[in-house]
Amino acid sequence: MPLKPLEAYELDRPSSDHPPRHSLDSDDSHAVDELDPLRDSKRPYRDNASHSLRSIFHSEKHALLGSPPRRSSRRWSRLRFCCLLLFLFVVTIFLLLSAGGLWVYKAGASYDGESEPWYPSPRGGTVQLWSRSYRRAAELVGQMTLVEKVNITTGTGWSMGMCVGNTGPVDRLGFPSLCLQDGPLGLRFVDNATALPAGITIAASWNKQLMYDRGRAQGLEARLKGINVILGPSVGPLGRLPAGGRNWEGFSPDPVLAGIAAARTIHGIQSQSVMATIKHFIGNEQEHFRQSWEWGTPNALSSNIDDRTLHELYAWPFAEAIRAGVASVMCSYNQVNNSYACQNSKLMNGVLKDELGFQGFVQSDWLAQRSGVASALAGLDMSMPGDGLGWQDGKSLWGSELTKAVLNSSVPVERLNDMVLRIVAAWYQHGQDDDRRWPNSTLGGGPNFSSWTNDEIGDLHPGSPDSKDTGIVNKFVPVRQTAEGGNHDALARRIATEGIVLVKNEGGILPIPRSANGLATKAKDGKLRIGIFGEDAYPNPKGNNACPDRGCNDGTLAMGWGSGAVELPYLVSPAEALHREFDNATVQVTDWKTNSVRKVDGTAAAQDLCLVFINSDAGEGFIRWKTVMGDRNDLLPQKGGDELVKEVAANCGGRNEDGNPVSDTIVVLHTVGPTVLERWIDLPGVMGVLIAHLPGEESGNALTDVLFGDYNPSGHLPYTIGKSEDDYGPDSKILKYPNGVTPQQNFTEGLYVDYRFFDKHNITPRYEFGYGLSYTTFKLSGLFIHPLSIVNTSLPAPRSYSDDVVPPHMDPRIPDPEAAVWPKGMRRLAKYIYPYIDDVESAKPNGRYDYPKGYDHYHKSTEAGGGEGGNPDLFTTAVSLQLSLTNTGNMVGEAVVQIYVSLPSTTTDIISNQTVALDTPVRQLRAFEKVLVESGSRSQVRFSLSRKDVSYWDVRVQNWVVPTGELRVCAGFSSRDVRQCGGFELIGGGGRS
């Protein structure tokens, strides 16, 4: 999701090289679907490009050739000539871009796109766990009028309520306006809430209980603030591109780690009666060209993903989220196989609702909806924030347009009923009808904060230019420390601490003492000299929240930027915590608060120990920091971090006669993801390296816990650190320049992302996926593998259909259009989204609606479905594992035991009518546990692998298939550090039918 209005940030308007969004709307709002070039979810961009071209010319004509001011004819002639040159330049650039787009269209995209049509949209209410909620929802929705139903499905418009997303209420029946609020690491635009560590940090902890606790804290704070729906967690982007701007909001490029983290987070959030949202579905792997016009192209990028890769990699964590009962799925901005994700029927109807059995509602990312009727038919259930194709334009693609589409039969009543049922059922499913936890607005319920002002009194509809309604909008309710939820600040510290990964500890330099005891000093006064170097150790001098949505890299890095960021209630910087923790009587701390290397050698030479802080930042594409436009430009530390480390490490404590530094240097890196360390990692002075990721508000405290040994580091990398950016593969780079009117990004690497690519091509990383050191040592032994008989069948049990669990029956008749007409005397707010029509005539059919290709074909349900997350038999235990973990060191510690599987190399596949060996990763993570073991003690660790864990997606069979041959199972402490392995024969069949 993007941003507050730019004027709310008091930023400069977009410059000419970063153009503002253009509206693709027609002035005729009554014909939006007829004029919308993307109404057919299978037509990638041909009509849209021409329509967008007209929009550009129309807007440029008025901007450049409008009525001149009164001035001399000579000055006007010069201005006209300059404007004409500028106009011709714009046209030339567009035609060149169009030429590239024409090539892409002819070479790689059919007229109807490559995404299979899948209709009709499956109805919700087919799972036993949701059946009661659907029955209750049917009772309520059955009493609603057409406009009341539409009101629930459509947002009221950007900044038309207190939250970033607000649906219309049905006051008559007691159904509230739903408040939807970012985000993945806390509550955006909310006062007094916890700034928790980011998703990448909790993933680095590999601690399932902390994942749940973090989600529970988010859910509790949301409920106490009156937020119905949290817009998180995120597993898209998954992390295909290591420089992707929003990878840090999610967890890991490994689908199993990401899926487990997402599921635990969802369980935590929804335990507090708050609905969670898994996002962004799917293929939104970079910020460049993610949506129309944000990067100057009239169409969003198309992520072209093959079926097997979609299932085994990108959809896997979404399946786990759905299996966890997630209330909502957010579809993404980008196109997938040349069909916009929010009107892609194969993805929403076929994959989400049929195959994965999703029972909740699909909501659009903010302005990701690109059509009216087509998106409804393709499975979209809620339009957010309600505005149309232009930002805050008030011209909704639904609202009154959806009312008309139902009245003129373009959208079946059954589809609207299902949309509303899904939303209301999710509301019931999570207990939001309980007025003890969720009091209605007359009893003080609803959001008690404003996303748009910090004042107590404010506008109730600040997005409308003619709004005059004011009231108390901020009640400043504290939620970080409560009797119900405990101390969330302490929880944030624990997560940040466990998310620190120790990757280098030469000579046992860490942990360090707080006093001079144990470290030598050459100072005459006997005091130990400690130098703290780098801007990243210190707070932003302009204030912790000086940059809107944390959209800059100034001071210590606590989180990335964008809609996934939050306001920091406070921030303990590393320098602050270090100054507090060192013994002032025996330690003298010197501060070097910049990344400048000018004269730093002299300061470094005077130290007995040097601590250097560097970072690498990124974020959402609507914010630009210097030359970083969301996605990182490279994988190097930013702001001269490499040079700072090299200079300090070479001079710390002075140099001996061999030219080496006398004293040791410890490097701390705060980062959004994989960062190349090669320029200094092997320098003789660099003895210790800690990767502290994005720690949130408790940054400094968490770091000192590890530095001083109060906590034994237990974090492990949730990604791979290569020796160069090229190590990640030729397809791992950000597409920074458009290759057509619709930029095309082919996921030709398939399953081989991150460590899978390194393994396939035998590339030695600097630090592999799952790697992490401890202050103690561990040993694995006695691996026992017990396969169950289930692995002797190739396919899961047939999909079952129960007569006891069927969708509720609702009245399918088209209602009287008179009931949808504007109520007499009702005041209209400009740009506010309403469900009413102006008159009955506007809802009458105007010719036959051109339905998407394939809409008249009833698609058969897949055998891979049948329950939340897929066929229930996929999650039946197929293999049981057991092994011993021993702490062989002298300090209590936590080990992360990781289980990897290698599918049989003898399995075959059929490609282009030829039988070939199945291309499958060398090893794939399938399970993990974090175990606390006392020094000298041993613990038994048990795992269960499911049928899905030992299967692959067979494109021909369209199901998960257990292959034939030896399944290899390994246990270890990283993807390259496997200590115990074993195997057994699978006789599943390898997809032969």
Side-chain angles (χ1 to χ4, degrees):
M1 184 207 311
L3 61 169
K4 286 186 182 182
L6 286 175
E7 52 268 27
Y9 289 144
E10 299 181 358
L11 296 177
D12 293 335
R13 292 293 181 180
S15 61
S16 58
D17 61 343
H18 188 77
R21 300 179 182 87
H22 291 274
S23 170
L24 303 186
D25 275 350
S26 163
D27 291 333
D28 182 5
S29 60
H30 301 305
V32 65
D33 268 298
E34 295 302 317
L35 291 175
D36 177 12
L38 299 174
R39 65 183 184 276
D40 185 341
S41 67
K42 300 296 163 247
R43 295 182 182 181
Y45 61 78
R46 192 185 72 166
D47 292 336
N48 187 42
S50 60
H51 182 79
S52 303
L53 184 59
R54 291 195 298 270
S55 298
I56 295 173
F57 288 169
H58 179 78
S59 61
E60 295 293 343
K61 183 174 109 175
H62 286 276
L64 301 177
L65 303 178
S67 300
R70 294 181 181 179
R71 57 184 68 179
S72 69
S73 58
R74 179 176 298 176
R75 291 186 63 191
W76 168 236
S77 296
R78 291 174 180 170
L79 178 62
R80 184 167 55 185
F81 178 71
C82 292
C83 290
L84 181 60
L85 286 177
L86 180 59
F87 176 72
L88 290 174
F89 173 76
V90 171
V91 171
T92 301
I93 293 298
F94 187 85
L95 290 176
L96 288 172
L97 191 63
S98 298
L102 182 62
W103 178 85
V104 171
Y105 167 71
K106 288 183 176 181
S110 69
Y111 179 83
D112 292 308
E114 294 93 358
S115 195
E116 174 193 8
W118 210 109
Y119 299 99
S121 185
R123 293 161 63 191
T126 59
V127 173
Q128 184 65 49
L129 288 174
W130 285 71
S131 59
R132 182 172 181 269
S133 295
Y134 266 89
R135 287 195 300 270
R136 299 180 70 192
E139 293 175 5
L140 188 67
V141 175
Q143 304 174 59
M144 293 182 185
T145 65
L146 172 59
V147 293
E148 287 172 337
K149 293 176 183 178
V150 170
N151 217 28
I152 290 175
T153 67
T154 309
T156 58
W158 180 251
S159 63
M160 291 299 178
M162 296 299 97
C163 308
V164 297
N166 309 271
T167 62
V170 183
D171 293 327
R172 180 177 65 88
L173 299 176
F175 189 82
S177 167
L178 298 181
C179 167
L180 294 82
Q181 197 75 10
D182 296 300
L185 66 77
L187 306 179
R188 184 190 187 200
F189 299 155
V190 174
D191 64 281
N192 297 316
T194 308
L196 290 158
I200 197 74
T201 310
I202 189 67
S205 79
W206 294 66
N207 188 322
K208 296 177 183 178
Q209 183 60 49
L210 279 185
M211 293 168 183
Y212 174 87
D213 293 343
R214 176 175 173 271
R216 184 181 183 277
Q218 289 178 278
L220 176 59
E221 293 191 4
R223 175 163 55 81
L224 295 179
K225 286 292 187 179
I227 295 167
N228 302 89
V229 184
I230 286 181
L231 303 177
S234 174
V235 292
L238 181 68
R240 169 182 183 254
L241 310 177
R246 300 184 74 179
N247 292 350
W248 60 273
E249 294 183 34
F251 304 106
S252 169
D254 182 84
V256 169
L257 177 53
I260 290 173
R264 292 300 175 112
T265 302
I266 290 163
H267 281 304
I269 291 172
Q270 296 187 165
S271 73
Q272 297 305 300
S273 189
V274 172
M275 292 182 263
T277 304
I278 194 71
K279 63 182 187 180
H280 307 83
F281 190 75
I282 197 167
N284 186 9
E285 294 294 318
Q286 69 169 57
E287 291 304 283
H288 282 70
F289 315 117
R290 65 174 183 161
Q291 61 176 318
S292 303
W293 294 120
E294 190 173 47
W295 299 89
T297 57
N299 296 289
L301 172 148
S302 177
S303 296
N304 302 320
I305 313 173
D306 69 86
D307 191 40
R308 186 180 171 202
T309 299
L310 179 79
H311 281 82
E312 293 191 28
L313 207 61
Y314 298 98
W316 185 296
F318 285 96
E320 289 301 299
I322 293 168
R323 189 174 167 223
V326 72
S328 180
V329 172
M330 181 188 290
C331 53
S332 55
Y333 285 119
N334 56 289
Q335 299 186 56
V336 179
N337 298 336
N338 288 290
S339 176
Y340 275 92
C342 286
Q343 62 186 50
N344 190 310
S345 64
K346 170 63 177 179
L347 292 178
M348 292 191 290
N349 290 340
V351 177
L352 274 182
K353 294 184 176 181
D354 179 59
E355 182 184 325
L356 300 183
F358 177 53
Q359 301 297 299
F361 60 93
V362 180
Q363 60 170 293
S364 68
D365 201 342
W366 269 228
L367 255 66
Q369 183 187 21
R370 308 306 297 168
S371 66
V373 172
S375 61
L377 300 179
L380 187 66
D381 302 307
M382 180 185 287
S383 170
M384 275 291 136
D387 300 288
L389 296 170
W391 192 253
Q392 205 173 1
D393 61 4
K395 300 177 182 180
S396 182
L397 295 170
W398 281 2
S400 62
E401 298 301 324
L402 181 56
T403 302
K404 296 174 193 176
V406 173
L407 290 173
N408 67 26
S409 75
S410 297
V411 173
V413 173
E414 294 97 323
R415 175 77 270 264
L416 176 64
N417 285 339
D418 181 63
M419 292 156 62
V420 184
L421 280 171
R422 286 175 173 274
I423 298 167
V424 177
W427 182 71
Y428 277 119
Q429 182 76 358
H430 298 289
Q432 294 193 2
D433 60 313
D434 183 351
D435 57 13
R436 292 168 299 178
R437 280 191 158 191
W438 295 92
N440 60 41
S441 57
T442 59
L443 299 176
N448 51 43
F449 68 95
S450 171
S451 297
W452 320 115
T453 180
N454 294 324
D455 298 332
E456 181 181 11
I457 306 296
D459 198 326
L460 300 182
H461 311 290
S464 176
D466 57 4
S467 173
K468 300 178 181 178
D469 301 322
T470 60
I472 297 177
V473 295
N474 280 308
K475 298 180 182 179
F476 309 107
V477 176
V479 296
R480 300 199 328 266
Q481 299 181 34
T482 64
E484 185 176 358
N487 188 336
H488 290 174
D489 296 336
L491 174 64
R493 179 173 181 167
R494 178 69 183 200
I495 296 170
T497 300
E498 292 205 29
I500 296 173
V501 182
L502 175 64
V503 295
K504 186 174 184 179
N505 193 18
E506 293 294 318
I509 182 67
L510 291 168
I512 60 175
R514 286 179 167 83
S515 66
N517 296 330
L519 287 178
T521 177
K522 57 182 178 292
K524 293 181 180 179
D525 60 5
K527 277 193 171 185
L528 187 70
R529 262 54 174 184
I530 304 287
I532 303 175
F533 297 85
E535 180 184 311
D536 184 69
Y538 303 90
N540 184 343
K542 297 179 181 178
N544 295 331
N545 298 310
C547 301
D549 278 326
R550 314 297 72 77
C552 64
N553 187 3
D554 295 331
T556 192
L557 182 61
M559 63 187 72
W561 71 67
S563 62
V566 301
E567 303 298 302
L568 284 154
Y570 66 89
L571 175 59
V572 179
S573 70
E576 176 188 346
L578 287 166
H579 274 279
R580 182 194 67 227
E581 292 295 323
F582 276 122
D583 177 16
N584 293 330
T586 61
V587 177
Q588 178 177 313
V589 177
T590 299
D591 294 298
W592 186 272
K593 296 185 178 182
T594 78
N595 283 13
S596 172
V597 297
R598 185 172 178 269
K599 296 184 179 181
V600 73
D601 54 343
T603 302
Q607 310 306 315
D608 299 305
L609 179 68
C610 298
L611 303 174
V612 185
F613 290 80
I614 59 175
N615 66 35
S616 184
D617 197 4
E620 194 169 356
F622 71 84
I623 292 177
R624 173 189 301 182
W625 170 73
K626 295 187 176 179
T627 63
V628 182
M629 302 166 69
D631 305 308
R632 285 187 287 172
N633 297 332
D634 51 50
L635 300 184
L636 299 174
Q638 294 166 352
K639 306 185 79 170
D642 281 340
E643 295 306 312
L644 180 64
V645 173
K646 288 195 294 182
E647 194 68 18
V648 172
N651 293 282
C652 188
R655 301 194 185 202
N656 59 26
E657 57 188 23
D658 296 326
N660 292 324
V662 173
S663 301
D664 299 326
T665 296
I666 296 170
V667 180
V668 178
L669 171 68
H670 289 116
T671 182
V672 292
T675 305
V676 175
L677 316 174
E678 293 307 299
R679 295 181 179 178
W680 48 263
I681 191 66
D682 287 328
L683 293 180
V686 176
M687 302 298 287
V689 179
L690 291 164
I691 298 179
H693 292 107
L694 302 174
E697 65 187 30
E698 285 284 323
S699 175
N701 289 337
L703 181 66
T704 56
D705 286 343
V706 171
L707 278 175
F708 296 117
D710 300 334
Y711 176 79
N712 191 345
S714 64
H716 287 245
L717 293 174
Y719 50 77
T720 298
I721 296 180
K723 295 182 178 180
S724 75
E725 190 169 359
D726 292 337
D727 285 352
Y728 295 88
D731 299 312
S732 66
K733 307 292 196 306
I734 301 294
L735 178 66
K736 295 182 179 179
Y737 301 100
N739 53 14
V741 173
T742 299
Q744 303 288 311
Q745 192 168 65
N746 299 322
F747 288 38
T748 52
E749 74 287 343
L751 303 174
Y752 298 99
V753 170
D754 198 75
Y755 71 92
R756 299 167 178 226
F757 183 87
F758 282 75
D759 290 345
K760 179 180 178 66
H761 298 280
N762 199 26
I763 298 171
T764 301
R766 170 56 64 176
Y767 299 116
E768 70 270 17
F769 173 83
Y771 176 82
L773 298 176
S774 170
Y775 294 154
T776 189
T777 54
F778 298 97
K779 175 185 176 182
L780 291 174
S781 60
L783 175 63
F784 174 75
I785 303 174
H786 178 55
L788 304 179
S789 60
I790 187 175
V791 297
N792 294 334
T793 57
S794 61
L795 295 173
R799 180 171 180 166
S800 62
Y801 299 87
S802 173
D803 294 336
D804 297 332
V805 185
V806 294
H809 176 73
M810 305 290 293
D811 188 348
R813 294 174 296 179
I814 297 176
D816 182 1
E818 289 286 352
V821 176
W822 266 94
K824 292 183 179 179
M826 181 175 175
R827 180 168 69 99
R828 303 191 191 190
L829 287 176
K831 296 190 176 183
Y832 194 95
I833 309 301
Y834 297 97
Y836 304 105
I837 59 176
D838 291 327
D839 52 61
V840 173
E841 288 296 316
S842 65
K844 289 183 177 180
N846 183 19
R848 181 181 178 278
Y849 180 73
D850 183 18
Y851 284 99
K853 181 180 179 181
Y855 182 70
D856 56 352
H857 172 69
Y858 189 94
H859 207 293
K860 182 182 177 182
S861 294
T862 175
E863 282 297 307
E868 287 183 284
N871 188 320
D873 193 35
L874 291 174
F875 308 106
T876 304
T877 298
V879 184
S880 295
L881 307 173
Q882 181 177 317
L883 70 162
S884 295
L885 170 67
T886 305
N887 184 339
T888 57
N890 55 10
M891 184 177 183
V892 62
E894 292 173 288
V896 177
V897 184
Q898 303 161 37
I899 302 297
Y900 294 87
V901 302
S902 301
L903 294 182
S905 59
T906 55
T907 301
T908 59
D909 197 4
I910 296 178
I911 299 177
S912 301
N913 296 320
Q914 292 185 340
T915 301
V916 298
L918 180 70
D919 190 15
T920 189
V922 174
R923 62 184 62 88
Q924 303 176 72
L925 180 73
R926 283 295 181 257
F928 63 88
E929 289 293 341
K930 192 169 193 176
V931 184
L932 178 69
V933 187
E934 296 288 338
S935 173
S937 296
R938 184 174 64 180
S939 178
Q940 292 295 312
V941 189
R942 294 176 174 83
F943 298 92
S944 294
L945 301 183
S946 69
R947 167 184 280 277
K948 187 178 179 182
D949 288 330
V950 298
S951 300
Y952 71 97
W953 179 258
D954 191 305
V955 176
R956 293 179 300 112
V957 178
Q958 285 293 290
N959 210 333
W960 292 94
V961 173
V962 176
T964 297
E966 185 187 40
L967 178 78
R968 193 78 174 158
V969 180
C970 292
F973 299 123
S974 75
S975 63
R976 294 282 176 105
D977 181 14
V978 292
R979 306 289 182 91
Q980 293 275 294
C981 291
F984 64 93
E985 287 293 318
L986 294 170
I987 53 175
R992 289 188 289 271
S993 58

